[in-house]
Structures are given as C-alpha cells and as structure tokens.
C-alpha cells in the first residue's frame, strides 16, 4: 500500500473471493458480510446468474460511447422508469455523479424559469457525495473541512422538520428545490416521517419547486421496496440511484419526471463512461434477479428478523439508545462512540461499520438467509453488550 494515497484507514484484511453473503480472506477465513460493500453487493458475491451475464457481455461489448445508441442503456432506462414512475434517465458512474447531475438539473431548471440563483434546501446529517457540489450539500462538517470555498446555493435545515423548510423559504425567495434522503444512511440510519415527506410533496407542488430524493443507498429493494420513497406514497420529481443498481459494477443515474423532465438537452450534460453496455447489463440483470428471486420481500423479512433479534438480545442494555431502520438498512445507536466495535466484529468474522461515531450500520446483501440473519445477531450482540457494560474510557 506504499503508493496508495492515504484516504482510507483500511482494516487489516484482504479478500480473495466470496459466495452469497460470505467473503473469504487470503488465509481462507470466512467472514459474514453484513455491509455488502456499503449497500452495493445486493446480490451478494459471485451470484451465478449475474456472473454468467457479465461474462457474456464482456465477450461481446464493453464500451462504445454515448455518441451512439446503446441498447442496454435504453432497456435499463425503460425498466427503471417502469418501476419508479419517472419518465427519463441519465446514466453516470457513481452516486456522487448522479447527485452532481441532479444539482446541475436544478440550476438549469432555475435559469429556464427565471431563477438564475436557484437555492436547494438540504438536510442536516445528509450525505450526497464528495465532489465539490455534492460535498457542499452534504451535512457533515468533518467531510467538508479544508475544502472551502465550496459552491453556494444550499440552505441547510434540520431533518424531519417541515417548519424549518417553510421558514427557509420565507427567508429566501430563490428556493427551487428540496432534497433529502428518505432514509439517511451515513446520517445514522434516520428514517423520515411519512407525513413529513408527504407534506414536502404538497409544499413543492404549491411553490413550483422540485422534490428530489437521494436513493443512492436506500434504492434498489434495500428497504423492502424498489425505492425508499415508495413507503410514503408520493412521487418525487427527481431521484438518484447508484450503489446496488450494478451489484458491484459502477453505475449511477438521475431520473426525472413532470416539471423536471426535458430540462437537459444535447450538450447540457454528458459522460464518457456512463451508461455503457457492461454497466447497464449489470443493472438489467440485477433488477431481473431481484424480481425473479423475491429478494425485495426477503429484504423486508430479514430486516424485521434482525431488528427483532437485536431488540431481544440487547433488551435492558443501558447503552443502547435505539434500534431502527427499514428492510436491510439497520442502525443500532449507542450512547457513546463505538468505532472500535468494527475491529472487534472483524475478529469475530463479521463485517460491519459505524457511522455518525455512535451508530452501528448494517447493510447485508439482499440474498441473506434466515440462518445468516440470526448469525449476525449472534456474533454482534455479545460484542455490543460487553462494550456497553465496560467502564467508559
């Protein structure tokens, strides 16, 4: 690692291969993967149907260019619009790229509607990416530190607080969009109140604003529905996807409908690699496998099983503040920083991570089985209990 930029505090393990919800390291040790590449490997590892499809695609065509028609891209756009109710899609390579595209859409929409200084209302604890614009929208001072001056155009308000959004709009008449995650991942597995999201939809309709939902982490069946916003029975104007869409092959996209559709034209946005045949084939196969193997329902069932398991196993542990989430997006909030549990879990052959310093985040693959769900609880609960019962440092 001598020549790698020091951007990650990497754990002392490297994996050679995997199968399903399991990863195997260089010494042959097996680890139960409760992180899935941070919500990327929804189909687990080495899914035979995905492997065969990608091998076949690599043997035919990997890349041409967006100056030509790409049939796999067209088919994936059709399928995503069918599932989401959106009407058009732009493909990129990552969540940050998708979110950057969404922000460009808001700016261009503002210019087209007489608001050249369009402002976007964003949420505290939000995470939208690490490009300069998405970083400016992200609600992490730690992540933003040292990168000033960041792009302007954002009004930050508390999450789940409708009055704060209304007050921001009253203070600044340039508001053009409201942007949120209906289930904050990096923000500590915080679930938006359904009535709050519905009220935001009404407010945006009344004001002519765009309602944008970042589904980079919560999308593609992770919450037990195709998209997290579908639990609220609203339709956004813009959604962004990435992570689980390609099952490990890099892909991201912006989807739009209604007022947000038709904003981009030739030359107003673009990408070299986005929407290539291989990435879009990965997306098509991922959606097909999720549907045909019932993985959306499995995510809902296994998530409920895991949350119930931890609620029972950690009952009465004073340091456990909350167990929350939706589907296979689960957080266990403790009353103190708990980053050291990541290494303890690694020693127990379990892969987890911690966000917001004190929230254990679990994002298992959608293929997780009942026994594996029980094993996550059995391996992690004793570590949490011991950690909480130990004297504070």
């Amino acid at each position: 690692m001598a020549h790698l930029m020091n951007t990650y505090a990497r754990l002392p393990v490297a994996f050679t291969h995997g199968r399903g919800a399991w990863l195997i390291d260089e010494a042959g040790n097996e680890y139960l993967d409760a992180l899935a590449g941070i919500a990327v490997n929804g189909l687990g590892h080495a899914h035979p149907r995905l492997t065969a499809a990608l091998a076949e695609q690599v043997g035919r065509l990997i890349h041409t260019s967006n100056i030509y028609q790409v049939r796999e891209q067209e088919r994936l756009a059709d399928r995503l619009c069918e599932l989401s109710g959106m009407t058009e899609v732009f493909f990129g390579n990552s969540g940050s790229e998708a979110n950057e595209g969404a922000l460009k859409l808001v700016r261009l929409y503002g210019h087209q509607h007489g608001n050249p200084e369009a402002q976007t209302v964003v949420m505290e604890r939000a995470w939208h990416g690490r490009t300069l614009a998405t970083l400016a929208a992200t609600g992490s001072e730690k992540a933003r530190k040292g990168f000033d001056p960041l792009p302007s155009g954002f009004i930050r308000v508390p999450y789940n607080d409708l009055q704060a959004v209304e007050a921001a709009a009253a203070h600044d008449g340039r508001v053009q969009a409201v942007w949120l995650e209906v289930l904050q991942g990096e923000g500590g597995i915080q679930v938006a109140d359904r009535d709050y999201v519905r009220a935001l939809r009404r407010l945006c309709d009344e004001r002519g604003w765009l309602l944008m939902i970042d589904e980079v982490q919560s999308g593609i069946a992770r919450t037990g529905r195709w998209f997290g916003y579908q639990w609220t029975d609203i339709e956004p104007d813009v959604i962004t996807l990435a992570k689980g869409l390609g099952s490990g092959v890099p892909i991201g996209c912006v989807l739009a409908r209604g007022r947000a559709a038709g904003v981009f034209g030739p030359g107003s946005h673009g990408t070299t690699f986005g929407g290539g045949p291989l990435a879009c084939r990965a997306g098509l196969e991922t959606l097909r496998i999720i549907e045909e193997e019932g993985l959306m329902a499995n995510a809902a069932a296994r998530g409920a099983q895991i949350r119930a398991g931890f609620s029972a196993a950690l009952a009465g542990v004073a340091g456990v503040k909350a167990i929350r989430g939706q589907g296979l997006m689960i957080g266990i909030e403790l009353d103190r920083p708990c980053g050291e549990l990541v290494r303890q879990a690694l020693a127990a052959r379990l892969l987890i991570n911690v966000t917001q310093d004190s929230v254990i985040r679990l994002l298992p693959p959608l293929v997780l089985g009942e026994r594996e769900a029980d094993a996550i609880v059995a391996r992690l609960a004793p570590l949490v209990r011991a950690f909480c019962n130990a004297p504070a440092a």
Side-chain angles (χ1 to χ4, degrees):
M1 297 195 298
H3 298 291
L4 294 176
M5 286 191 180
N6 188 28
T7 55
Y8 288 93
R10 301 177 195 270
L11 292 166
V13 64
F15 300 107
T16 59
H17 60 290
R19 56 177 180 272
W22 298 86
L23 280 167
I24 295 88
D25 71 10
E26 294 169 310
N29 299 307
E30 288 189 329
Y31 297 74
L32 181 53
D33 187 358
L35 193 58
I38 314 181
V40 169
N41 303 109
L43 302 183
H45 305 283
H47 192 290
R49 293 178 60 186
L50 179 68
T51 299
L54 294 183
E56 192 273 338
Q57 184 64 47
V58 167
R60 288 195 302 113
L61 196 62
I62 296 175
H63 177 75
T64 54
S65 168
N66 281 304
I67 64 175
Y68 310 110
Q69 296 176 344
V70 180
R71 297 305 183 202
E72 294 85 359
Q73 181 181 136
E74 295 168 7
R75 289 196 290 271
L76 181 56
D78 289 345
R79 184 64 178 133
L80 287 171
C81 287
E82 180 184 5
L83 295 173
S84 66
M86 301 289 112
T87 59
E88 60 181 27
V89 186
F90 174 87
F91 288 102
N93 306 285
S94 68
S96 288
E97 253 188 77
N99 286 339
E100 187 87 13
L103 291 174
K104 286 183 68 177
L105 188 150
V106 171
R107 297 290 182 91
L108 189 55
Y109 181 89
H111 277 269
Q112 293 171 352
H113 290 80
N115 185 9
E117 297 181 351
Q119 305 291 299
T120 299
V121 176
V122 295
M123 306 298 155
E124 294 177 358
R125 295 193 306 268
W127 187 276
H128 297 299
R130 290 189 182 272
T131 63
L132 287 177
T134 58
L135 192 59
T138 288
S140 168
E141 292 185 12
K142 180 180 178 181
R144 295 196 305 269
K145 185 177 181 181
F147 294 104
D148 294 324
L150 291 170
S152 59
F154 303 101
I155 302 170
R156 201 175 316 282
V157 300
Y159 191 60
N160 259 334
D161 188 338
L162 181 66
Q163 290 184 338
V165 177
E166 294 173 331
H171 179 72
D172 193 325
R174 299 171 298 171
V175 171
Q176 194 69 75
V178 176
W179 197 17
L180 76 155
E181 304 149 280
V182 291
L183 205 170
Q184 290 184 330
E186 300 292 336
I189 312 297
Q190 305 286 344
V191 184
D193 182 77
R194 294 184 187 185
D195 289 338
Y196 164 71
V197 178
R198 291 167 183 163
L200 287 178
R201 175 70 277 176
R202 291 193 297 270
L203 183 63
C204 288
D205 288 339
E206 291 167 3
R207 305 291 180 91
W209 301 341
L210 302 180
L211 178 61
M212 308 201 303
I213 308 292
D214 181 338
E215 293 271 3
V216 167
Q217 192 165 138
S218 58
I220 314 300
R222 178 146 295 277
T223 67
R225 296 199 179 179
W226 283 114
F227 312 104
Y229 73 83
Q230 291 174 329
W231 290 100
T232 68
D233 298 321
I234 61 101
E235 290 185 325
D237 300 300
V238 177
I239 65 174
T240 53
L241 299 171
K243 288 189 181 289
L245 179 56
S247 296
V249 178
I251 187 171
C253 61
V254 186
L255 299 90
R257 63 177 284 276
R259 291 189 296 271
V263 174
F264 287 140
S268 59
H269 197 41
T271 174
T272 295
F273 294 105
L278 179 62
C280 289
R281 180 70 183 275
L284 284 164
E285 294 300 328
T286 294
L287 297 178
R288 184 177 295 117
I289 292 167
I290 288 172
E291 185 171 49
E292 293 178 359
E293 297 189 4
L295 299 184
M296 189 154 46
N298 189 65
R302 298 290 76 74
Q305 177 187 347
I306 291 170
R307 292 193 302 275
F310 279 115
S311 294
L314 299 176
V317 178
V320 177
K321 294 179 65 176
I323 299 168
R324 57 179 177 259
Q326 209 161 32
L328 286 174
M329 206 168 167
I330 300 164
I332 303 170
E333 184 175 3
L334 305 186
D335 65 355
R336 69 199 75 172
C338 59
E340 65 185 82
L341 281 171
V342 175
R343 286 182 177 269
Q344 292 182 20
L346 184 69
R349 305 288 188 262
L350 177 68
L351 305 182
I352 65 168
N353 83 335
V354 167
T355 188
Q356 294 294 304
D357 293 327
S358 60
V359 180
I360 300 164
R361 179 170 52 166
L362 303 174
L363 302 164
L366 308 181
V367 297
L368 194 75
E370 288 187 44
R371 290 185 179 180
E372 292 162 335
D374 285 340
I376 290 173
V377 177
R379 294 187 186 196
L380 183 57
L383 300 179
V384 174
R385 182 180 290 273
F387 178 81
C388 289
N389 289 336

